[in-house]
Amino acid sequence: MAQKPSIPKGTRDFSPAEVAKRNYIFSIIKSNFEKFGYQPIETPTFENSETLMGKYGEEGDRLIFKILNSGDYLAKANETFLAEKNSLKLTSQISEKALRYDLTVPFARYVVQHQNEIEFPFKRYQIQPVWRADRPQKGRFREFYQCDADVVGSTSLWQEVELVQLYDSVFSALGLEGVTIKINNRKILSGIAEVIGASDKLIDFTVALDKLDKIGEDGVKKEMLEKGISEAAIEKVQPLFNFTGTIKEKIEKLSALLLSSAEGMKGVEELQFICDNIMALGLDKSDLDLDVTLARGLNYYTGAIFEVSAPKGVAMGSIGGGGRYDDLTGIFGLKNMSGVGISFGLDRIYLVLEELNLFPQTVTSTSKALFLNFGHEEALYSMKAISQLRKEGIKVEMYPDNAKIGKQFQHADKRGIPFAVIVGGDEIANNQYALKDLVSGEQKKVSLGELKELLK
């Protein structure tokens, strides 16, 4: 007996209904990207290995899917490496290409490669799948889409202001109220570490602080002590453990705490500019919050840091994030090219919309009406009407076989098609169509014009 087919772990098949819902999210994100002046680019599914390797740290390199060279990929492999089973040294000889791990590094490569054709500042968006050889678990896949928007070639903080507005615009269009856009600044975190005399422990300090909402104040202090941060230093950051109040009040507290740090005060100034202008412009359905414990992407973010959390009551991790990086293209030799960008977490946004029942009823891949097939003459009459309806952008189809009517109705029911159109001798003689609502059971005879209006 043939073995039942399967797909690799960490990948998914999507049903027509799921694809329709995903496309609904894609279309809203895409239309807002373009409304804000971002231009689309696409990069290849796979890149040269040297483009990707060494850009994500040791852990990232391990998670990159390598592609074996075509043909006899072992022919040119080093005999010693083969005998030693030295996979690290062997990989570079048998694999010259790899699936992209994210959209950011390919974007950096694109900017450097096409720098003479690009008009800076360059606002680009990219919606494409990426691949990671991660351990699959709930909400984490090996193949998933990223939806990124970035601006390179400008240090203006108006870009950060606009990106917060872009988040708000997308989530408002999706009907998501009460999303919180959290903001912080890498310079503030560096300033705090400097003020408490722990600059050499910046990563340890911020990683521990980032866990405040998960392990609580005592847990964070314990982790900091274990990482070699002194009790005296921890005492100085006591205000951070109960950092409440309005954004204005939080900025005042930060100013007092960071007075002796030039870098920290620069971060406060940047935050104040962004927050003041967003509050002056207003947000539609999202909330802005200054979260001093936010420490994502410390290895590459140099200014503002963003993270978006779902509305209260929805148990979900972040549904978006991003930040400012001062040297995106430096990894490929093009220095001083500052950028800032954000990303939307498609899969998590999908789950939030599903949980809150926010997908419109009209989001479906199915047809609006099924024309029943009673024979050749009736089918030809139906197909003429179908052609007219499709020109109006109405999704309709005809059952292809002259099968039992019960079977045809059953097909419409299983497909979730809301209407059936019945054409017999009487309808043809009177140039009419019998339209049946398959939910209410109501049936009436209509002209082609009326049929168009009712199915729109």
Side-chain angles (χ1 to χ4, degrees), residues 243-254 275 279 288-291:
F243 204 70
T244 55
T246 64
I247 289 177
K248 187 171 182 287
E249 289 166 345
K250 287 179 179 178
I251 286 175
E252 285 169 0
K253 288 180 188 176
L254 280 175
C275 294
M279 286 187 280
L288 183 70
D289 183 35
L290 197 170
D291 183 354

Side-chain angles (χ1 to χ4, degrees), residues 108-169:
R109 190 265 310 149
Y110 177 94
V111 170
V112 174
Q113 195 172 338
H114 299 276
Q115 58 186 288
N116 296 325
E117 306 149 34
I118 293 171
E119 172 59 29
F120 294 102
F122 179 44
K123 300 172 79 170
R124 89 79 164 90
Y125 78 82
Q126 207 170 339
I127 302 174
Q128 287 187 281
V130 299
W131 293 266
R132 295 182 187 179
D134 219 340
R135 187 169 63 85
Q137 51 187 284
K138 184 176 168 57
R140 182 178 291 175
F141 304 99
R142 287 176 168 172
E143 178 185 62
F144 56 96
Y145 268 79
Q146 287 192 336
C147 310
D148 289 6
D150 291 80
V151 190
V152 288
S154 169
T155 57
S156 170
L157 293 174
W158 283 112
Q159 307 288 7
E160 278 85 338
V161 172
E162 195 176 67
L163 286 169
V164 173
Q165 289 182 307
L166 175 55
Y167 265 140
D168 180 51
S169 183

Side-chain angles (χ1 to χ4, degrees), residues 3-20:
Q3 189 177 349
K4 189 178 179 182
S6 62
I7 57 174
K9 284 182 179 177
T11 63
R12 296 161 289 171
D13 286 325
F14 295 108
S15 69
E18 288 169 328
V19 170

Side-chain angles (χ1 to χ4, degrees), residues 186-396:
R186 165 65 191 264
K187 296 181 179 75
I188 283 172
L189 294 167
S190 298
I192 293 168
E194 182 188 336
V195 164
I196 65 173
S199 289
D200 59 328
K201 304 274 187 187
L202 172 64
I203 301 295
D204 290 334
F205 167 75
T206 48
V207 166
L209 190 63
D210 197 29
K211 297 177 183 174
L212 184 60
D213 59 340
K214 297 183 186 77
I215 61 176
E217 181 179 335
D218 291 339
V220 170
K221 287 180 176 177
K222 181 171 178 283
E223 186 168 321
M224 286 182 176
L225 285 168
E226 288 170 355
K227 296 291 185 181
I229 297 166
S230 70
E231 284 192 30
I234 295 170
E235 188 62 35
K236 287 179 184 174
V237 293
Q238 184 62 39
L240 299 182
F241 296 119
N242 189 28
F243 204 70
T244 55
T246 64
I247 289 177
K248 187 171 182 287
E249 289 166 345
K250 287 179 179 178
I251 286 175
E252 285 169 0
K253 288 180 188 176
L254 280 175
S255 297
L257 181 67
L258 295 168
L259 207 54
S260 62
S261 167
E263 184 171 17
M265 290 307 292
K266 176 76 172 132
V268 171
E269 282 174 36
E270 290 180 6
L271 262 187
Q272 181 137 27
F273 179 92
I274 297 164
C275 294
D276 283 355
N277 283 293
I278 288 166
M279 286 187 280
L281 292 162
L283 293 175
D284 187 8
K285 291 183 178 174
S286 307
D287 299 313
L288 183 70
D289 183 35
L290 197 170
D291 183 354
V292 78
T293 68
L294 184 60
R296 62 182 289 140
L298 272 185
N299 291 333
Y300 45 92
Y301 290 140
T302 53
I305 307 169
F306 301 109
E307 188 166 278
V308 184
S309 56
K312 288 180 178 64
V314 180
M316 185 64 64
S318 65
I319 58 173
R324 165 74 64 174
Y325 37 81
D326 279 339
D327 199 17
L328 169 73
T329 55
I331 51 174
F332 297 116
L334 182 61
K335 297 292 182 185
N336 304 316
M337 184 65 75
S338 185
V340 60
I342 59 172
S343 186
F344 289 84
L346 171 79
D347 292 300
R348 288 182 173 179
I349 291 169
Y350 181 105
L351 293 171
V352 172
L353 294 181
E354 193 90 289
E355 184 173 332
L356 297 175
N357 199 27
L358 290 174
F359 282 110
Q361 292 294 322
T362 52
V363 176
T364 174
S365 60
T366 197
S367 296
K368 197 73 186 284
L370 178 73
F371 281 71
L372 303 189
N373 189 333
F374 285 83
H376 180 78
E377 187 185 354
E378 294 87 346
L380 183 60
Y381 179 85
S382 294
M383 285 302 288
K384 288 175 180 175
I386 286 169
S387 298
Q388 292 299 313
L389 292 168
R390 286 173 177 166
K391 284 177 183 174
E392 299 284 326
I394 302 167
K395 293 192 281 189
V396 287

Side-chain angles (χ1 to χ4, degrees), residues 436-452:
K436 182 167 185 173
D437 185 322
L438 297 179
V439 178
S440 68
E442 183 187 347
Q443 183 171 318
K444 57 184 172 182
K445 293 195 176 184
V446 295
S447 66
L448 180 59
E450 289 169 328
L451 188 61
K452 284 179 187 175

